[in-house]
Amino acid sequence: MTTPQIGKIHVTMTVNGTQVDGLVEPRLLLVHFIRENLQLTGTHIGCETSHCGACTVDLDGMSVKSCTVFAVQVDGANIMTIEGMANADGTLSALQEGFRMMHGLQCGFCTPGMIMRAHRLLKENPNPNEEEIRFGISGNLCRCTGYQNIVKAIQYAAAKLNGTEFKEAAE
Amino acid sequence: MNDITLTREEREAKLEGLGCRRKRVEDIRFTQGKGNYVDDLKLPGMLHGDFVRSPYAHARIKSINKDAALKVPGVLAVLTAEDLKGVNLAWMPTLAGDVQMVLADGKVLFQGQEVAFVVATDRYAADDGVVAVDVEYEALPVLIDPFKALEPDAPVLREDIKDKMDGAHGPRRHPNHIFEWTVGDKELTDAAFSKAEVAIKELISYQRVHPSPLETCQCVCSFDKIKGELTIWGTFQAPHVIRTVVALIAKLPEQKIHVISPDIGGGFGNKVGAYPGYICAAVASIVTGKPVKWVEDRIENLTATSFARDYHMTAEIAATKEGKVTALRVHVLADHGAFDACADPSKWPAGFFNIVTGSYDFPTAYVSVDGIYTNKAPGGVAYRCSFRVTEAAYCIERAMDILAQKLGMDPAELRMKNFIKPEQFPYHSALGWEYDSGDYQTALNKALETVKYEDLRKEQAAKREAFRRGETREIMGVGVCFFTEIVGAGPSKNCDILGIAMFDSCEIRLHPTGAGIARMGTKSQGQGHETTYAQIIASEIGIPAEDITVEEGNTDTAPYGLGTYGSRSTPVAGAAIATAARKIKAKAQMIAAYRLEVHEDDLEWDVDGFRVKGLPEKFMSMKDICWAAYNSVPPGMEPGLEAVSYYDPPNMTYPFGAYVCVMDIDVDTGVYKVRRFYALDDCGTRINPMIIEGQVHGGLTEAFAIAMGQEIRYDETGNVLTGSFMDFFLPTAMETPHWETDYTVTPSPHHPIGAKGVGESPNVGGVPAFSNAVNDAFSFLGSTHIQMPHDFWRNWQAAKRLGVTG
C-alpha cells in the first residue's frame, strides 16, 4: 500500500506582519508550516488533538489551535504567533511582562499558546474578572503553574493596558 | 572598593540572594517563544523516525513485512528486532535490573509496544510508512488484573525469564513475579497486632496515572561517522546517566557520546528513564549516517512511555483505645507492567516506600511489597515525588483517617497524639530512616488555626444533621493530611543508579570582572534552576545573582551529576553549589588578606567582600578579589578563581507539611466543589519564595488531577481507554481550585544552607488531602474507604452504594 502522490499547493499568508508563502502538501498542518517551513518554533505541539492549546496562534482575529488546521485552509490569512508579540522596540509586551512579573510560567512550554490566547481574550474583554479569565483560557492546559499566577499575569497585563494600577504580587 | 553610598541592606538586596522573590531569568526567552526545546532543533539532512505499535496487549508476532513500507516515497529504512539483534540492541537493560525489548522480539506484551521503527525524510512520510508495515499477530491470553497475576494458571508473560527464578532483587515465586521486598520487624509487628486493643485493615489502591508533561519525550540523534561520535539532544532529566547508559549498551566510548538536554517542557518523572525511541533513533542515525529525530505524540506518551503508581496497598494499624498507635503492617501488590522499568535507585525495588510510617512514632512496623508483571506499559516512575513516597504518604494518611473513624476520634487530634516530637529528632523510624528535623505540632496547629478547624467541624456536624433531616442533598468533607517526605537521594552508602553513587555536582568559575558561570549536574524542567542556583551563589560569595550564568544539560561541559528528579536538586546539587562557593570563598579570603596586607584570620565576611576586623574602611569586595585572582595572587598560589564540588549527602532531607481541604459533594450528581485548600509547607530554608509558591500551586494541581479524576485505565483485553487528553484528566483553569499557601521553616541540620526541597511535596501531600476530604464527607454514612479517583461518577456511585441516592 502506498500513498498516492498529491500535488503541492501554493499558499500565501501574513505572519507577524510579514508576507510569507510556501509550496505545501494539502495535509500539512498549519503548526508544522509555522514551525518547520517558517522556523518560528515558539508555537508548540503538546497533544495533536486540540486539547492542550500549546499551538494556539491568532488567526484573523481569533484564537486558533494550529495543530488542527491545514496550512492550505489559511491561504490569505493574517496570523500572529508568539514571535510577533513583543513591542516594536523589542521590549516585552504587557502580557509577556505580566507572565514574568507574576510568575505565570515554569517550563515555558504552554506559555506561547497561553499568551496568544490571553492576547485575544484581552481584545475581546479588556477588563476580565477572574472567572472570565479562567473560562477564557480553559482551552489551554498548563501542567506546571496551577493557573493561579497565569490569572494574575493576565490581570497585570489588563491593568497595564488599561492604564490602571495592579497591586497584587505573584503568590 | 566598597560602594559606601549603599547601606548594608541595600548591598544585600542587590545580590538577590537567599529569600529573595527574584524574577526568573528563564522567562525572558520563554515569554518570547525563544525557548530551545528538542523538537525545535532542525539539522541539515535530518530524518524522522516513527513507531509501528502493537494494537494487542499480548500476542505472538507471526511475521513483519516491510516491503510495502519501503516503497513509500521518503521512507529509507524500517528497523525491527531482527535488525537490532545485529548490533545486540533488540533488548536493553532497565534501571531496575530487568531487561526490556527495544522492538518487539517474537511477541508483544502491552498495547502500544514498539514493534518496528520507520525512518523517513519527514514526519509525514514516516507516518505513511508506519501504516504500510504489515504485522501479523496471534493473540494470546491477556493479564490485566494484578490480583490474578500470581494465580497458578495465569498466562506467562515474560517467556524470556520464565525459568529464571532468581531475579534482580532476590527470589521470584511465579513467572509473573518480579520481586518480594520486605523491611521491618515482622515478629514484633505481628505480636503487637495480636495484642492490639484496636486495629484497622483496608485495601487502599493508588491507581495507575501518568506524568504527562506538556512536551512529550523526544530526541535527535546524530552520528558522525568520521569522528565516530554520537550526539544526542533529548528530553532527559538525567543527561549524564543517559550518556553512561548509551556507552554501556551501545558499546561506544563514553567520551565520544555527547548528550545535550536543552530546555525541557516539564518532566515530572516521565523523562528519567531510557525509552526505545532513543535507542532506535541512535541506531537509525548510525545506519543512515544522518541525524534522526524521534518525537512521540500524546497518544504514544500516555500509552507507552512510563506510568506511575499502580500500587495496591493493604494497610493495617494497631492502636490502643486511647488512640496511640502501636504497629503498622502493609502489604503492597505493585503492578509494574510488562517490564520492570522503575526509575528507582538500584537497591530500592519499591523505592522509599518504607517512609510509610509517615509523621508518626510507630514503635514497630513491617512492610512487604510484591512486584508483578501484567500486560500494561512498563515503568513505575516517580511522578512528581521521590520514589514511591506519594504512594506511602497516601497509604498512611488514609489509614490514619480510617483509624480515627474507628476510634471515634478527630483525625487531626489522632495525628497530633502520634506525631514524632521535636525533641525526638534526629528520629530513627521503625522502617530504617533517620528523619533529619521537624516540628510537626507547630505546623499542624498553624494550619488548624488558619482554617478555623473547629468551626469547620461544627459546620459539618450541622450539615450532617440537615442532610439526615432531608434539608440538603450536599455533604461536606474536611480532609486533613500531614505528610513527611524523604527526598534528596541520596547518600552513596545506600543510593546508586547503575552503580553510580547519587551525588550531584557544581562547578563555579568566576571571571576577572566579577561575573561567573556555574555548571551543574542537574537539569531543570521548569523548576527555575537558572534563577535559584544563582541566588545561593550570591548569598555565599557576594556576587549578584544577575552576574552568574547557570548552565545545565550539556554532558561535555557540566560536571557529572545524577540529574533532577525526586526533589534532589536543592538537597544535593544545591549543597554542591554552596560547597563549591565556599571553596572559592576560602581562596578569595587568602587573596584579600594578601592584598590588604593582613593575616586572613583578621578578615571577616561582610555581605559582598572581606573587611579587616576593627578597621571598617579596609575592605575588598568580591568583585575586586575576582580581578586580583587573575593578576596578583599571593606568591605560590595558582591564579584563577574556580571550584568544583561533588556532593555526597550525609542523609536525605525530610520536608513536611500540613494540608487541609474543604469540599462539598452533591450526592445526587457526585459533583464536588473544593471550597478551600490550604497548604502549609516546611521545606527548610527558603531560597526563592515566589518559586516555592509556584511549585506548590503546580504540585497541588497535579494532586487535584490524580485524586479527583486521573487514571490510566485498561479494559479486560488490555486496550488503553485513556489514551488522549479527551479521556485522561488534566484540569483546566476552570476546575482548578484556588490555592492558599503558607509555611514554617525548620532547616535541615545536615544541609549546608538548611534547604530540603519542595517541588514534590504538594503532590505527595495533596493527594491524601483531597481523598481524605471525599472520604470524610461520606464517612458518616458508614463508609470507611472509597478508592480514587474521586470523579463525579464515582462519587455518585459511592452515594448509591451507601443508599443515599437512587
Side-chain angles (χ1 to χ4, degrees), chain B residues 509-525:
Chain B
R509 280 186 199 173
L510 296 182
H511 310 319
T513 56
I517 183 165
R519 292 190 165 114
M520 309 293 306
T522 49
K523 177 64 208 171
S524 175
Q525 310 118 43

Side-chain angles (χ1 to χ4, degrees), chain B residues 48-52 69 75-79 116-120 125-131 133:
Chain B
H48 292 258
D50 199 359
F51 281 112
V52 176
V75 172
L76 300 176
V78 179
L79 300 178
F117 190 67
V118 176
V119 185
D127 265 4
D128 292 339
V130 165
V131 174
V133 174

Side-chain angles (χ1 to χ4, degrees), chain A residues 1 27 29 32 35-36 39 46 48 96 100-101 106-108 134-135 143-148 170-171, chain B residues 21 23-24 31 37 39-40 42 123-124 128 211-212 298 383 525 694 697-698 701-702 731 733 739:
Chain A
M1 188 181 75
R27 63 177 176 170
L29 296 171
H32 287 139
R35 287 179 50 81
E36 292 177 16
Q39 285 285 288
E48 312 93 16
Q96 292 169 313
R100 178 157 194 257
M101 296 305 287
Q106 291 179 26
C107 82
R134 284 183 179 265
F135 179 73
R143 293 288 287 143
C144 299
T145 65
Y147 304 105
Q148 202 152 310
E171 56 170 324
Chain B
R21 302 180 74 90
K23 300 289 175 273
R24 297 201 332 162
T31 55
Y37 302 91
D39 198 21
D40 300 345
K42 193 173 181 178
R123 61 181 88 221
Y124 288 75
D128 292 339
S212 51
R298 180 57 59 187
Y383 166 14
Q525 310 118 43
H697 291 176
T701 305
E702 291 190 359
W739 309 117

Side-chain angles (χ1 to χ4, degrees), chain B residues 21-58:
Chain B
R21 302 180 74 90
R22 183 178 185 226
K23 300 289 175 273
R24 297 201 332 162
V25 177
E26 296 88 342
D27 296 356
I28 302 294
R29 63 178 188 277
F30 290 154
T31 55
Q32 299 187 77
K34 297 293 183 193
N36 174 32
Y37 302 91
V38 174
D39 198 21
D40 300 345
L41 188 67
K42 193 173 181 178
L43 298 176
M46 188 172 74
L47 306 176
H48 292 258
D50 199 359
F51 281 112
V52 176
R53 292 180 181 273
S54 170
Y56 290 94
H58 194 197

